[in-house]
Amino acid sequence: MLMGLRSQFKYFISISVFLTPGLLSAEVLPTSSTKLTNNGCQLNFFHLEKGVDGKYKEGLRVSLVTDNIYQHRYVAMKADINRPLGFENINYNRAGKPTEVFSVNWRKQKEQFTYGRLMLLAGTSDRQAFDDLKKLITQDKGHFELEASKQRYRFNANATHLDDFLACEQKRTK
């Protein structure tokens, strides 16, 4: 009798959770920010990682940067200080498979972080890497995945950040 009541109670709870809208929700949290000025546009994507203290920290940052004064455009990357130095290939994945392959030459900034500029694999122009990555991110509406050294990094733009960046960048090209 007691066992029957328990199973009915569990069944009732599972039905309640399933039928109650808003009780449980899964949503993709945005991990982006923008810096939009007359001098340039910047769209930052952050991959967050859970630290040993249980708090989330920035694991990898990808920034699309334009400079209106010098007409520069490039993709800057920033990682933890422990990232190995030198060249690393980075895949832009769709459905878990590489769509485009980029490369970055990681360098240390004092003992604070590791950074580099993204290039197309075997390419020489950081502008071309910017244009290709911007096109891919725009096609995927700001939700994308990069893979490097068998580690996957997922990025999700805030609903308006991508559109705001593209509008700012469009002003640069006029």
Side-chain angles (χ1 to χ4, degrees):
M1 173 79 176
L2 183 59
M3 200 59 135
L5 287 174
R6 275 192 194 154
S7 65
Q8 286 179 354
F9 182 70
K10 285 181 185 177
Y11 178 74
F12 173 76
I13 293 296
S14 64
I15 293 294
S16 299
V17 169
F18 180 75
L19 295 177
T20 308
L23 185 61
L24 293 178
S25 65
E27 64 180 85
V28 177
L29 295 176
T31 54
S32 64
S33 70
T34 57
K35 182 179 178 185
L36 311 172
T37 68
N38 290 333
N39 295 333
C41 316
Q42 184 170 331
L43 174 59
N44 302 305
F45 291 95
F46 307 96
H47 173 80
L48 302 177
E49 297 174 348
K50 199 171 199 178
V52 291
D53 58 357
K55 295 181 180 177
Y56 286 96
K57 63 179 181 133
E58 182 181 313
L60 181 69
R61 178 190 301 185
V62 178
S63 300
L64 283 83
V65 180
T66 65
D67 179 339
N68 294 348
I69 296 171
Y70 299 105
Q71 297 300 307
H72 291 287
R73 62 185 186 275
Y74 59 91
V75 179
M77 300 192 64
K78 180 180 171 187
D80 187 85
I81 190 67
N82 298 322
R83 188 132 199 139
L85 299 180
F87 286 95
E88 180 178 35
N89 291 342
I90 297 177
N91 296 331
Y92 185 100
N93 290 345
R94 281 190 180 144
K97 298 200 179 351
T99 301
E100 185 69 75
V101 181
F102 297 93
S103 182
V104 64
N105 185 8
W106 292 109
R107 300 175 185 163
K108 289 213 185 298
Q109 173 64 35
K110 299 181 182 174
E111 289 301 315
Q112 298 171 350
F113 56 86
T114 310
Y115 72 97
R117 281 195 184 181
L118 202 65
M119 306 282 280
L120 282 173
L121 185 62
T124 57
S125 169
D126 50 5
R127 288 179 177 205
Q128 186 180 9
F130 173 91
D131 293 340
D132 284 9
L133 186 63
K134 181 182 80 168
K135 180 178 137 198
L136 290 166
I137 292 172
T138 302
Q139 289 171 350
D140 293 336
K141 297 178 175 78
H143 305 288
F144 65 101
E145 176 184 275
L146 298 178
E147 181 179 5
S149 301
K150 298 184 180 180
Q151 185 170 355
R152 293 174 188 250
Y153 302 94
R154 290 182 180 88
F155 302 92
N156 300 291
N158 177 291
T160 61
H161 287 171
L162 182 59
D163 291 338
D164 293 346
F165 174 78
L166 294 172
C168 179
E169 208 249 336
Q170 187 67 32
K171 290 178 192 173
R172 178 189 65 80
T173 59
K174 287 184 176 180

